[in-house]
Structure formats: structure tokens, C-alpha cells
Amino acid sequence: MTTAVPTQLGEADTLGGGGRKLAVRCRNVVKNYGTGTSVVRALRGIDLDVYEGELLMLVGPSGCGKTTLISVIAGVLDRDQGECTVFGQDFSAMNSRQRTRFRGQTIGFVFQSFNLIPTLTIAENVSVPLLLNGVNRHAALKKAKEMLDVVGLGQRVQDTPNRLSGGQQQRVAIARALVHDPRLIVCDEPTSALDHETGHKIVELLKGVAMSGNRSLVVVTHDNRIFDFADRIAHMDDGQVDKIVGSAKELYGPNMQSAQSGGGHS
Amino acid sequence: MYFLALKMLFNDKAKFFGIVMGVTLASLVITQQGSIFVGLMARTFGVITDMNYPDIWVMDRKVQFIDDTKPLTDTKLFEVRGVPGVASAVPLYKGMIRARMDNGLFQNCNLYGLDDSTLIGGPGEMIEGNLADLRMADSVIVDVEGATDKLARAGKKPGDPKIPLKIGDTLELNDHRAVVVGISRGSRTFQSQPNIFTTYSRAVTFAPKERKLLSFVLVKAEPGENLETLRARITERTGLAAYTADQFKLLTVNYFLKYTGIPINFGIAVSLGFIIGTLITGFMFYSFTIDNLKYLGTLKAMGTSDTTLMMMILLQALSVGCIGFGIGAGAATVFGISMGGTQLAFWITWQILVLSGGAVVIICMLAAMLSVRKVVALEPAVVFKG
């Protein structure tokens, strides 16, 4: 059962505690899978704010609910209880069509395994969000090529994804996430399929390009080697955000070196 | 998005060719078997087609098809001639006769007796000789299939090829001498017996003795006469059945459809083509969708509506449908053309193409429905599960 909230919040509701504008506001978000005795409590009352122009990383062990939380934030999964708004808009107050349109206009996606359509050229892949927003094919391809230039793949526009390395494919995915100028980018494990150096470059690119337009980024990651790029890190455990810190050092304290050398959480 | 949907399909070459193959197979089998069926059915009224003279065929009311003759008395001809609106009416004898071969064997033949004065109702095409030569004593015209095969003379030695009948050869028809004065060609009929043409008066002397020998009366209507009205008038005045050529063809076809197993046999072949085509296409198309489910889920998450995804799938299905139908129907047509002049009965009509196209559309819709169900039920959140 979802909590009824107004679709359009007032300005006061979209401002965080420090007067910064809120991109995402989650209060007491609950999500369960299954029913009865087999119920899995994926989110147990999440409270989380993401500010405009902020890169927030969601970290935590596998199965702690990170992916479920970004799915709820991105509007691809319905929450059971609580309140979650994206730029003041509540997905649960929208019908399916409005929700789909809002997602297409407002949110960019970067996936763990890139999810580029292998039978299309990378330019066509990047043009998809524009086509979904009603841009004609010619203009969409032109804009996609410009975006691919930005991520350093301007010479490969006619290649299909399977001719690119993992890092290059993730760059294409970033271009696709940004091409329609969304205000929120959600990234699910963007570096997990990449080696350390490539992963580092990808997050660097993501932060450099995506943050330039005062966008907000929510990055789910296990990769503690990229924590330094975060403005804030929200640590989740057992379906709850148990800690929100400003840096990896704050998260791990004196054990940070060993945590970093030991790879991700599991 | 629809352009990209087509690119997704066309660039997955293995699946694309697999799906097209399924549709092609269905289209080919349905078109080819349907055309053979229509060709066979058309043979049932080949005689009616060849006799393009009459506007109306008059016959006994109990006649069910062209070969089912119920003889009339000769006076019926004069009754028909007396009906207002009839410009001319000529008799036609149609019956079976036994030809005695020079080796002593007998061959059943179809004997046609044409109006002595006009020779109306003659064969479709004369290959040798002249129709007017039927006015010569004891003369007959034999069709080329009969002349070269069943009525041909045996070779001089065993194993030698048969010697075709030629002009001047004689036949023995029911103990009567007949001289071949021409070789003709007509539409193939449903019967395999040779066709022999002669005059009406000679035919009734050749034919086994019966009280009534007139098979049909062929009527030409006066100019401007409404054929339906004339038909009704002939029936009213003479008590006989009267049909236009098309109605008589339909009567004949309906008889064969009703009383032979031909429609069932061809129906099974066509159904098999449809079922196999549906299974192959459905499986391959579903497999194509499943392979792309991750990407369709991605599109869904990125803001593609269910309606757009459904339209994309339908477009893909209809595209392979059009291509497969084109190849299948084209291949069936080429097959039909290449078999022209052989014994194969093949007649492709627009109705068959519409039927085949309709079947392909249904196949594509069924295949698309399977995929659409999967895509509509797909949770976009699945894309975050790696």
C-alpha cells in the first residue's frame, strides 16, 4: 500500500535542511517481496535525500536493498509504503503513461552490463532517449553523435557495441544516459564489469560530464575504489540506510586502507 | 523507435531468416496447395470453359455437374427455341462411348455431339485439321492427349513407342467406323478419358441406343436480354434447369466439393502449412523477443511505453510477414509457371493470395501476441538485476 502524497510538492518541500534543492526525497520507504512467511523485507523504512548537483553513492553488502532503492527512486518499481519524490513529483500519484513519460524525460540510466542493443550502432543506441522524447530521427542521431564526441567516441559512431571494449561500451551507456539532458542519473554498478583503471576513468567521466549541468547522480556500487568521487556516501544494511557520510574515510575510519585493498563488500 | 525496431530485427540475421523461413514455408504451402486445389476444381468445369458460346446451359433439373448428364427428349430443343428472348438454341450430346483399339482392347472415351449446322460446342483449339471437316462422312476430331496416348496405336514391335493417331486414321466407336479429321486441344478436365468430337446426328448413331439422347441445350440470348430473367423464363416454360456458364461451373464445383474428399485432403495440407508455419514463426519470433527481453526492459525503464513496445513488436512481426509472404507467394507462382504445360493443375487466383496473406497475418499476430504478453508483463526493474 503506497502512501498518498501530493504529486506536486511546494518549494519548501523540495528544499533540504541546508536550503539546497532536493532532487530525491525518500521518507520511510518500505518495499517487500513475496507474501506471508516467505516475505523478504528489501527496504525497511528508508529515509534519504539526494540534492541537486550531488553525486550520492549507495553502498553496502549484497542483498542490502541498494538496487531495490534505486529502482524505487527511478520509478521502475512501486514501493509498498512511505513517500518518495523526484524533483517534487511522486511516481505513485501518476498513471502508467505519465510515469513512463516522466522517467523518459527526467532520468538517465547507466546499467551494470551496459544494456546496449547489440544490433544497433552506438549512435542509434545513444539516440534512443531522444526518440522517446519525440525528437526526429535525423536530429536525434546528430545529437547522439555530439554526445559520443563528448565521451570520446566520436570516431566510432557507426560501430556496433560488440566491437567496443567494456570501458568504451560504458562510455556509450553514459552518453545515452545524458543525451536527453535528464536531471537525475541513476547508475547501477557502473564499474563492476570494468578493470580498476577503466572503472576509475568511467566514474571520472561520469562525474565530469554528468555533474556539469547541476544534475544529480545516484550511483549504486560495491567498488570502494571509486568512493572518493562521491559527495556523500549512503551505507545500507539489511534494507536500511544506517550511515550517511561525506567520504570513504568517514565510512571506514581507520580501516579504510584494508577495506579498499580488500575490494568490495560482499 | 519503429525504425530501430526494424533494425533490431533485420540485424539479428539468424533469427530474422528463421522467422522469414517460417512465414515463407506457410505462405508457400498455402498458396501452392490452394492453387493446385483451385486448378483441380477448375478442371471439373473445363468443358464449360471451352464452350464459350452459350449464354445459358439448359438441362434436366436433376443434373448435378457437367458429367452428370440426364438425357432429354429432342423435342425439348424446340421448346427452348420457342422461349421469348432465346436468339438461338443448339443441341449438345455428351456421353461415354467405347473405342475399340487395333490391339483388341477397349478404351472408354467422352463423346461430344455438336450441332450439325453450326458445330457450336467444338473443342477449344484445333491443332490439326479443321472443325468444318466434321461435316465429312464418319468424321471425328480427337483431342491431342487421347491421340498421343490412350488412343494411340501400339508400336510395330513390343517396346516401341506408341504411334499417335493422325488425320486419316480410323477408329471403331461402338461398332461404327470413325475417321479422324482433326486433332484438338482443350482444357484438361477432371476425367482422364480421351475426348472425341463429332456432329450431333452422328453422335446419336454412335451412342448406345437410348430413348433420350439430348444432353444439353446451349442457348444464346437475344441482345440486351437479362440472363437471369431468361433463365427463369426457360425454366418456367420448359420445366428444365437453366444456368449461366458461371452458375453451371459453380454447380459443378459444389458437387465435387460436397461429394469428394478433395477439399478435406487439400484442407489438411493447407492446415499443416499453417500450423507448421505458425509453430516455426511463433517459436523463432518468441525466441527473438526473449533474446531481446533485456533490451526491451531497458527501453521500458528508459521511458518506452507498453503501447510503443507492442507497436514495435507488431511492426517486426508484420515486416517478416510481408517479406515471408512475398517470397512464399512468389515461389509458388514461379513453381506454377515452371510446371505450366504439365499435368499439374495449378491456378493461382487473387482469392488464394488474399487467403494466404490472411493466414500469414494471423500467423504473425499469433507470434506477436506471445511476445507482447511477455513484454507487457516485463517489470522494468529487471534491468537493474544485471
Side-chain angles (χ1 to χ4, degrees), chain B residues 26-215:
Chain B
S27 169
L28 174 65
V29 172
I30 294 169
T31 309
Q32 188 222 39
Q33 292 295 306
S35 298
I36 292 175
F37 173 70
V38 170
L40 271 181
M41 287 296 101
R43 285 188 179 183
T44 64
F45 55 74
V47 174
I48 307 172
T49 306
D50 283 352
M51 291 186 196
N52 55 10
Y53 165 80
D55 292 324
I56 290 174
W57 288 66
V58 182
M59 65 204 78
D60 187 275
R61 281 173 181 266
K62 295 283 173 32
V63 169
Q64 300 176 84
F65 60 105
I66 179 69
D67 299 314
D68 175 38
T69 52
K70 306 275 193 297
L72 313 167
T73 55
D74 282 356
T75 55
K76 288 293 179 188
L77 172 64
F78 305 113
E79 285 183 40
V80 174
R81 281 179 178 163
V83 175
V86 172
S88 67
V90 295
L92 178 71
Y93 173 84
K94 183 178 184 305
M96 298 294 291
I97 195 164
R98 290 203 311 173
R100 189 169 185 275
M101 316 287 287
D102 58 356
N103 60 5
L105 296 177
F106 289 93
Q107 171 64 50
N108 278 332
C109 302
N110 293 314
L111 179 65
Y112 295 88
L114 318 178
D115 177 47
D116 289 52
S117 55
T118 63
L119 299 179
I120 283 168
E125 179 192 352
M126 290 299 296
I127 296 176
E128 287 179 52
N130 198 318
L131 185 62
D133 293 342
L134 281 183
R135 294 199 174 93
M136 293 160 63
D138 300 334
S139 59
V140 293
I141 291 170
V142 181
D143 72 343
V144 66
E145 280 81 19
T148 54
D149 188 10
K150 292 189 172 169
L151 293 177
R153 299 175 190 282
K156 288 183 178 168
K157 286 182 293 184
D160 279 0
K162 288 180 175 178
I163 303 167
L165 280 184
K166 58 183 188 303
I167 291 176
D169 286 347
T170 57
L171 289 169
E172 190 182 310
L173 299 176
N174 198 22
D175 291 336
H176 294 80
R177 177 177 176 272
V179 181
V180 177
V181 295
I183 306 294
S184 68
R185 178 182 286 131
S187 299
R188 284 183 185 274
T189 66
F190 217 54
Q191 297 189 6
S192 59
Q193 293 92 343
N195 293 316
I196 296 175
F197 298 86
T198 187
T199 58
Y200 182 81
S201 57
R202 197 173 298 127
V204 296
T205 59
F206 286 168
K209 293 299 172 202
E210 289 185 67
R211 194 167 62 86
K212 296 189 276 187
L213 287 164
L214 176 62
S215 307

Side-chain angles (χ1 to χ4, degrees), chain B residues 101-374:
Chain B
M101 316 287 287
D102 58 356
N103 60 5
L105 296 177
F106 289 93
Q107 171 64 50
N108 278 332
C109 302
N110 293 314
L111 179 65
Y112 295 88
L114 318 178
D115 177 47
D116 289 52
S117 55
T118 63
L119 299 179
I120 283 168
E125 179 192 352
M126 290 299 296
I127 296 176
E128 287 179 52
N130 198 318
L131 185 62
D133 293 342
L134 281 183
R135 294 199 174 93
M136 293 160 63
D138 300 334
S139 59
V140 293
I141 291 170
V142 181
D143 72 343
V144 66
E145 280 81 19
T148 54
D149 188 10
K150 292 189 172 169
L151 293 177
R153 299 175 190 282
K156 288 183 178 168
K157 286 182 293 184
D160 279 0
K162 288 180 175 178
I163 303 167
L165 280 184
K166 58 183 188 303
I167 291 176
D169 286 347
T170 57
L171 289 169
E172 190 182 310
L173 299 176
N174 198 22
D175 291 336
H176 294 80
R177 177 177 176 272
V179 181
V180 177
V181 295
I183 306 294
S184 68
R185 178 182 286 131
S187 299
R188 284 183 185 274
T189 66
F190 217 54
Q191 297 189 6
S192 59
Q193 293 92 343
N195 293 316
I196 296 175
F197 298 86
T198 187
T199 58
Y200 182 81
S201 57
R202 197 173 298 127
V204 296
T205 59
F206 286 168
K209 293 299 172 202
E210 289 185 67
R211 194 167 62 86
K212 296 189 276 187
L213 287 164
L214 176 62
S215 307
F216 300 99
V217 178
L218 309 181
V219 169
K220 193 76 182 170
E222 284 182 349
E225 184 67 39
N226 180 291
L227 292 184
E228 279 303 308
T229 312
L230 181 59
R231 224 167 56 78
R233 199 181 300 138
I234 290 171
T235 300
E236 186 194 352
R237 299 277 181 103
T238 64
L240 300 173
Y243 303 108
T244 62
D246 285 343
Q247 287 168 339
F248 195 25
K249 287 177 185 177
L250 194 62
L251 184 79
T252 299
V253 166
N254 283 341
Y255 174 85
F256 281 90
L257 290 179
K258 191 173 175 184
Y259 293 107
T260 68
I262 297 170
I264 295 171
N265 287 290
F266 277 92
I268 288 170
V270 168
S271 302
L272 267 180
F274 179 79
I275 291 167
I276 292 171
T278 304
L279 287 177
I280 295 176
T281 309
F283 173 76
M284 295 296 286
F285 197 79
Y286 185 69
S287 166
F288 167 74
T289 305
I290 294 297
D291 283 356
N292 283 287
L293 209 54
K294 175 181 169 186
Y295 310 112
L296 295 171
T298 303
L299 293 176
K300 207 167 180 178
M302 285 163 54
T304 311
S305 66
D306 281 345
T307 309
T308 304
L309 287 173
M310 279 193 282
M311 295 301 287
M312 287 168 68
I313 289 171
L314 277 178
L315 178 67
Q316 289 170 334
L318 286 175
S319 301
V320 287
C322 287
I323 294 167
F325 171 69
I327 296 172
T333 308
V334 169
F335 167 81
I337 292 169
S338 67
M339 298 300 280
T342 68
Q343 296 248 353
L344 183 81
F346 189 94
W347 187 9
I348 194 163
T349 63
W350 66 266
Q351 290 93 338
I352 291 173
L353 292 175
V354 168
L355 173 80
S356 176
V360 165
V361 168
I362 293 170
I363 289 171
C364 292
M365 290 300 107
L366 289 173
M369 268 169 56
L370 281 175
S371 300
V372 162
R373 276 166 55 102
K374 192 82 184 168

Side-chain angles (χ1 to χ4, degrees), chain A residues 74-76 91 94-107 109 132-133, chain B residues 299-309 380:
Chain A
V76 293
F91 280 115
M94 301 178 193
N95 63 30
S96 173
R97 182 173 291 205
Q98 290 169 327
R99 185 187 301 200
T100 302
R101 188 178 300 158
F102 183 76
R103 219 163 46 216
Q105 289 171 343
T106 314
I107 303 175
F109 294 85
L132 290 174
N133 283 298
Chain B
L299 293 176
K300 207 167 180 178
M302 285 163 54
T304 311
S305 66
D306 281 345
T307 309
T308 304
L309 287 173

Side-chain angles (χ1 to χ4, degrees), chain A:
Chain A
M1 172 115 179
T2 54
T3 308
V5 293
T7 308
Q8 186 72 50
L9 299 181
E11 191 182 351
D13 300 313
T14 62
L15 292 177
R20 297 170 66 188
K21 280 197 168 179
L22 278 175
V24 179
R25 182 174 186 267
C26 294
R27 291 291 178 272
N28 192 32
V29 172
V30 173
K31 177 67 188 176
N32 298 325
Y33 294 113
T35 53
T37 53
S38 60
V39 69
V40 176
R41 299 184 185 287
L43 301 178
R44 300 166 176 253
I46 297 281
D47 289 334
L48 181 70
D49 290 335
V50 182
Y51 298 101
E52 288 190 16
E54 177 184 44
L55 192 163
L56 177 90
M57 287 190 183
L58 275 175
V59 304
S62 292
C64 69
K66 305 183 296 291
T67 298
T68 300
L69 180 57
I70 59 160
S71 298
V72 169
I73 289 172
V76 293
L77 188 67
D78 291 330
R79 61 185 185 271
D80 292 334
Q81 285 177 40
E83 167 188 325
C84 185
T85 59
V86 176
F87 300 106
Q89 304 287 321
D90 183 357
F91 280 115
S92 66
M94 301 178 193
N95 63 30
S96 173
R97 182 173 291 205
Q98 290 169 327
R99 185 187 301 200
T100 302
R101 188 178 300 158
F102 183 76
R103 219 163 46 216
Q105 289 171 343
T106 314
I107 303 175
F109 294 85
V110 178
F111 304 100
Q112 181 178 356
S113 47
F114 325 129
N115 291 18
L116 300 172
I117 300 170
T119 45
L120 303 182
T121 65
I122 62 172
E124 287 163 345
N125 267 285
V126 173
S127 71
V128 166
L130 294 168
L131 296 173
L132 290 174
N133 283 298
V135 178
N136 71 54
R137 196 162 67 88
H138 183 73
L141 275 175
K142 188 165 177 275
K143 183 93 188 285
K145 285 170 187 170
E146 288 168 10
M147 201 65 224
L148 282 166
D149 259 339
V150 173
V151 298
L153 290 170
Q155 303 302 312
R156 309 288 301 267
V157 292
Q158 287 306 319
D159 283 343
T160 50
N162 55 16
R163 299 186 67 182
L164 305 181
S165 68
Q168 287 172 323
Q169 289 192 47
Q170 198 58 296
R171 285 186 195 202
V172 177
I174 290 169
R176 182 177 65 180
L178 297 172
V179 73
H180 56 308
D181 205 18
R183 296 169 70 192
L184 172 68
I185 316 275
V186 292
C187 310
D188 183 34
E189 306 275 10
T191 59
S192 69
L194 308 174
D195 61 65
H196 176 212
E197 190 185 339
T198 310
H200 202 270
K201 282 181 182 168
I202 285 295
V203 181
E204 202 167 39
L205 174 74
L206 194 57
K207 182 154 188 177
V209 178
M211 303 300 288
S212 60
N214 201 34
R215 297 187 183 94
S216 307
L217 257 77
V218 180
V219 179
V220 166
T221 184
H222 271 112
D223 188 355
N224 53 22
R225 296 166 303 191
I226 63 168
F227 285 0
D228 287 343
F229 290 96
D231 294 317
R232 288 190 304 148
I233 301 170
H235 186 268
M236 288 184 68
D237 196 9
D238 197 20
Q240 290 178 312
V241 175
D242 59 3
K243 205 184 290 180
I244 300 178
V245 295
S247 68
K249 244 179 213 171
E250 286 179 61
L251 186 64
Y252 292 113
N255 299 324
M256 185 191 164
Q257 286 302 323
S258 61
Q260 284 191 332
S261 59
H265 298 259
S266 59

